[in-house]
Amino acid sequence: MTTINVSHTAADMSRWTGRAEPFETVRACYWYQLAKPYVFDDAIPRAGQRIGLVGFACDQGVRRNQGRVGARAAPPLIRQAFAALPVIAELQQRFDNQLPTLLGDAGDIHCHDNDDFAANTLEQAQVNYAAKVSQIIMQGGLPIGLGGGHAIAYGSFLGLWQALQQKNATKDKDSQPRIGIINFDAHLDIRQSDVATSGTPFRQIAEHLDEHGQPFHYCCIGVSRFSNTAALFDRAEQLDVHIISDEDCTNKKWKKIAAQITGFIDSVDIIYLTIDMDCLPSSIVPGVSAPAAYGIELSFVERAVKLIMASNKVKIADLAEINPTFDIDQRSCKVAARLLATIIEQHLLITETH
């Protein structure tokens, strides 16, 4: 019998550190001061915090996809960069005494592949990660995954799917909520392969939905014509993928792009938001598994993320493909931390007003 080398570690709160401000008022507040271990308790619907961070310390999918490995080291370093960021004034004003209940760290899922192709390790890691994600959703929180390779996407989807199945067990398939996936990525990640990789997750999701009689709603923003073969574009057309290219993001007016994104949002009930950090130029994020020569600007991604979060339809989000091995001065981790902060801030502000 083959042993699958996958493990989970509880939250390492030693990463949650930052500068001290002994001469400032209490409004000099940083995220490291608020983070607590995530509370899991099935008996209480809102036992956990409003946000649950889950690390996916795995790049077996990147290895299988012939990419440069190292992304499994990213989750604690993204946390560390995020921990040092200040909590914005608007959140402090809105939540005040509730601040300690906002953010929970649910630890990491580790995939120990011994730097080799390891059968079933990725798949088991995805299942273990999905279980945590599902539980956070069931407790009313927003899970945010920290990759790791973009194989995290299939795990994120499975966690969302499992939670929705539990919540809507009595409904027939025609009344199930429509799931929309918005992916910021230079790559479509719908490859054919005999095994799961970081390049297959959205094809796997399409097949999963088809098996359950559900439609596949997928919008990929930042797609590069130099990063996808004609076969992949053919498959995207067959799957009716909504593509917004990297050139469109640069050359078209924001109003037109925003209308496309909004149209997609309006066509679904629930959104899974995923950001592959290689959608950004390698000059901005050098530490990724597949660096982009062109990419889309950080200002565009942040603006689009705010638009998507404002819909109040995002039920799960993740960040993928940060590779610390190739980072410079922690630039990539800092960009990921800024996008993580943007997602968290927007989620808390929008849910508080609804």
Side-chain angles (χ1 to χ4, degrees):
M1 182 175 177
T2 303
T3 300
I4 298 174
N5 204 357
V6 174
S7 67
H8 164 254
T9 56
D12 177 7
M13 302 311 292
S14 67
R15 289 283 183 176
W16 292 96
T17 60
R19 63 179 295 148
E21 298 275 16
F23 306 108
E24 286 287 0
T25 68
V26 292
R27 284 168 59 76
C29 180
Y30 297 87
W31 281 108
Y32 81 87
Q33 296 169 298
L34 302 186
K36 308 286 188 225
Y38 191 86
V39 179
F40 287 101
D41 188 343
D42 291 334
I44 306 172
R46 180 61 100 158
Q49 293 86 338
R50 291 174 182 250
I51 304 288
L53 301 182
V54 187
F56 186 71
C58 174
D59 54 14
Q60 171 68 200
V62 175
R63 183 181 302 282
R64 296 179 185 183
N65 200 37
Q66 304 174 52
R68 54 184 195 174
V69 297
R72 67 187 178 195
L77 297 178
I78 295 172
R79 285 186 183 89
Q80 195 168 25
F82 170 70
L85 298 180
V87 180
I88 61 173
E90 191 173 358
L91 283 182
Q92 295 191 51
Q93 292 164 358
R94 291 277 187 93
F95 291 95
D96 195 17
N97 294 332
Q98 299 177 52
L99 286 175
T101 69
L102 298 185
L103 180 66
D105 187 349
D108 293 336
I109 299 298
H110 293 268
C111 175
H112 305 287
D113 59 15
N114 298 317
D115 298 326
D116 199 358
F117 183 96
N120 300 320
T121 55
L122 168 60
E123 291 79 2
Q124 188 59 54
Q126 289 170 324
V127 168
N128 293 359
Y129 166 80
K132 278 188 170 294
V133 162
S134 179
Q135 195 170 359
I136 292 170
I137 294 172
M138 292 300 293
Q139 290 184 185
L142 175 73
I144 303 179
L146 306 177
H150 212 178
I152 191 177
Y154 190 60
S156 288
F157 169 79
L158 283 180
L160 174 62
W161 176 264
Q162 290 165 12
L164 292 176
Q165 293 307 295
Q166 291 182 65
K167 287 184 176 182
N168 302 292
T170 60
K171 295 182 179 180
D172 59 49
K173 69 178 184 179
D174 293 328
S175 59
Q176 295 291 328
R178 295 164 298 176
I179 301 171
I181 302 161
I182 300 180
N183 177 28
F184 289 85
D185 203 333
H187 309 90
L188 290 161
D189 286 349
I190 50 174
R191 288 182 185 277
Q192 292 284 14
S193 176
D194 59 344
V195 291
T197 77
S198 61
T200 66
F202 302 105
R203 176 188 56 79
Q204 292 175 265
I205 292 171
E207 291 172 352
H208 179 103
L209 288 166
D210 184 59
E211 288 171 6
H212 290 84
Q214 298 296 312
F216 179 54
H217 300 284
Y218 176 36
C219 175
C220 195
I221 304 172
V223 176
S224 170
R225 60 193 173 95
F226 294 109
S227 299
N228 300 273
T229 63
L232 289 172
F233 281 111
D234 289 344
R235 188 164 301 117
E237 186 174 359
Q238 294 165 6
L239 293 172
D240 197 24
V241 178
H242 189 121
I243 294 175
I244 301 176
S245 73
D246 52 0
E247 293 166 292
D248 287 343
C249 295
T250 300
N251 300 326
K252 289 187 178 180
K253 291 185 177 179
W254 165 251
K255 188 175 181 180
K256 187 168 184 178
I257 298 294
Q260 288 181 263
I261 297 172
T262 301
F264 180 83
I265 291 170
D266 290 344
S267 71
V268 298
D269 303 307
I270 284 172
I271 292 171
Y272 159 37
L273 171 64
T274 177
I275 304 175
D276 187 322
M277 297 298 293
D278 72 21
C279 72
L280 295 152
S282 57
S283 58
I284 303 298
V285 283
V288 290
S289 298
Y294 190 79
I296 54 180
E297 292 301 317
L298 176 59
S299 58
F300 174 90
V301 176
E302 190 171 280
R303 192 176 189 182
V305 165
K306 289 179 179 179
L307 174 66
I308 296 162
M309 295 303 299
S311 70
N312 198 29
K313 292 183 178 182
V314 176
K315 302 304 179 186
I316 179 170
D318 60 45
L319 301 162
E321 301 281 358
I322 287 291
N323 188 329
T325 304
F326 301 96
D327 207 358
I328 301 170
D329 296 331
Q330 298 181 308
R331 290 181 203 168
S332 307
C333 288
K334 288 178 179 178
V335 173
R338 181 182 174 102
L339 290 172
L340 174 60
T342 299
I343 293 169
I344 290 174
E345 290 167 1
Q346 296 301 309
H347 174 72
L348 292 173
L349 292 173
I350 195 67
T351 53
E352 185 66 10
T353 58
H354 281 70

